[in-house]
Amino acid sequence: MIIDCHGHYTTAPRELHDWRAQQIDGGTASPPVFSDDVLRETIEPNQLRRQTERGIDLTIFSPRAASMGHHLAPAAENERWSRLCNDLVHRVARLYPGRFAGVCQLPQAPGADPADCVPELRRCVEELGFVGCNLNPDPSGGDWAGPPLTDRTWYPLYEAMVELDVPAMIHVSSSDNPNAHTTGAHYLNADTAVFMQLLAGDLFEDFPSLRFVIPHGGGAVPYHWGRFRGLAQNLGRPPLAEHLLGNVFFDTCVYHQPGIDLLTRVLPAGNILFASETFGAVDGTDPESGHAYDDTRRYVEAALAPAQLERVFEGNARSVYPRLPVPQPVRTKEHR
């Protein structure tokens, strides 16, 4: 079975985002209501078709990350927005059982108490059957005005995550900083920055079962693994394998073969989860290979031995996301 740990509802109906824009501008209209048929029209020719073509059985699915927009509205409005987006993800998962597993957007806001996110996390996990959450380490939208993820202000959220036994994917939203393009810089900067925060702190001494997934191959982490090993040594931290790799995992949203080769050589196979972020950051065909940039399955299969592939394609995801359902494998087309 192949589990893609990184999918977003990037094809949600346009009216959803139109309503959010009105909400940000102070609008008070009721949110849009969509029929099941409308949701099917957004999923079947897009994510579901791509999954089937590429032989992916299950996608861990969350609202569109760039649209979380935590910096664009007050906490109360972000809570309303998060509930709406999470409910749509839940409906998609119910329409296609065994093909999508929900991960929730949290109602974060600059300066807001992370504890205020706990009710929505609980609702999504306990009532909607979600398997994790997306955690924005910079709800200011590129200003990095808040405390690092190792700060104790985050602890109430972590306590709930541990109790519920769900991980968080570390994922910023859109950038409000013109110096940092959202997908080309802000995302990758955040991945790298959070790894360094965790390296410099002792978070997992307080939360030994807390689990984070750092997406996009970890940003600069694999490329600068020697730098991080040296910094850990200079800061008096334990070796990275002991200090972080029991709690921190990385996905394969890296869009060329040399990048995946580096990721899989530097990091243990037990810390890598398969992902493609289809209909996400990079669409289109690579003229050098003739294949889609985000067709990461072919890169991973070329980089790993069969025994490692089982862990990366399925086993690691089930360990990190223990609430994942165990459906009957879906018959999919042979990947070519």
Side-chain angles (χ1 to χ4, degrees):
M1 186 174 191
I2 298 179
I3 299 172
D4 186 333
C5 81
H6 191 165
H8 298 298
Y9 195 4
T10 54
T11 60
R14 179 178 176 179
E15 292 82 1
L16 176 71
H17 301 288
D18 291 343
W19 180 83
R20 172 61 166 171
Q22 295 170 6
Q23 184 201 35
I24 291 168
D25 289 338
T28 59
S30 298
V33 177
F34 302 106
S35 68
D36 287 350
D37 285 342
V38 167
L39 298 187
R40 290 189 182 99
E41 290 171 2
T42 67
I43 290 292
E44 291 185 2
N46 298 307
Q47 283 90 350
L48 194 62
R49 174 182 61 84
R50 192 69 58 82
Q51 283 180 231
T52 302
E53 290 174 349
R54 296 180 181 175
I56 296 169
D57 299 288
L58 171 67
T59 295
I60 298 175
F61 201 55
S62 64
R64 184 182 179 215
S67 296
M68 295 189 295
H70 294 123
H71 58 291
L72 298 175
E77 297 302 321
N78 286 346
E79 181 178 7
R80 191 181 184 199
W81 171 237
S82 296
R83 288 178 67 94
L84 176 60
C85 293
N86 291 334
D87 286 345
L88 287 178
V89 165
H90 173 58
R91 288 180 61 193
V92 169
R94 290 188 62 185
L95 285 171
Y96 304 98
R99 303 307 301 272
F100 298 95
V103 159
C104 67
Q105 169 179 320
L106 297 175
Q108 298 176 249
D113 189 341
D116 294 342
C117 295
V118 172
E120 180 62 5
L121 174 66
R122 289 192 178 280
R123 183 185 79 93
C124 288
V125 174
E126 296 175 337
E127 299 178 23
L128 305 186
F130 281 27
V131 301
C133 62
N134 285 345
L135 176 59
N136 186 348
D138 175 33
S140 70
D143 292 335
W144 290 90
L149 291 187
T150 51
D151 189 86
R152 297 188 70 88
T153 56
W154 296 96
Y155 277 28
L157 178 59
Y158 299 157
E159 289 166 357
M161 289 171 55
V162 168
E163 178 191 340
L164 295 167
D165 200 15
V166 295
M169 176 172 280
I170 303 301
H171 212 309
V172 289
S173 185
S174 57
S175 171
D176 201 36
N177 186 334
N179 295 294
H181 183 276
T182 293
T183 55
H186 187 43
Y187 284 8
L188 306 182
N189 295 345
D191 302 335
T192 309
V194 166
F195 186 81
M196 187 62 209
Q197 291 176 12
L198 299 174
L199 184 158
D202 296 301
L203 178 62
F204 301 121
E205 290 187 5
D206 290 337
F207 295 97
S209 62
L210 185 66
R211 301 180 301 281
F212 290 145
V213 177
I214 300 182
H216 319 117
V221 172
Y223 189 71
H224 286 290
W225 192 249
R227 175 183 291 256
F228 290 118
R229 286 177 55 235
L231 286 169
Q233 180 176 315
N234 294 342
L235 292 170
R237 294 294 185 260
L240 291 181
E242 175 186 339
H243 187 42
L244 297 182
L245 293 190
N247 306 83
V248 180
F249 303 85
F250 305 85
D251 79 13
T252 64
C253 289
V254 179
Y255 295 146
H256 67 154
Q257 190 66 56
I260 290 291
D261 291 344
L262 175 67
L263 175 70
T264 56
R265 284 203 304 267
V266 170
L267 294 170
N271 287 86
I272 301 173
L273 279 64
F274 173 74
S276 64
E277 200 179 359
T278 299
F279 291 98
V282 180
D283 203 4
T285 300
D286 183 346
E288 295 182 6
S289 69
H291 302 297
Y293 284 105
D294 62 4
D295 186 3
T296 56
R297 177 180 171 181
R298 67 179 63 251
Y299 309 141
V300 173
E301 288 178 328
L304 294 175
Q308 295 173 314
L309 284 174
E310 189 283 328
R311 299 181 71 184
V312 171
F313 278 149
E314 180 180 8
N316 294 338
R318 293 201 177 278
S319 295
V320 175
Y321 293 85
R323 287 181 174 267
L324 278 172
V326 185
Q328 294 296 317
V330 178
R331 186 177 298 277
T332 55
K333 293 181 181 180
E334 182 180 356
H335 186 64
R336 298 184 185 276

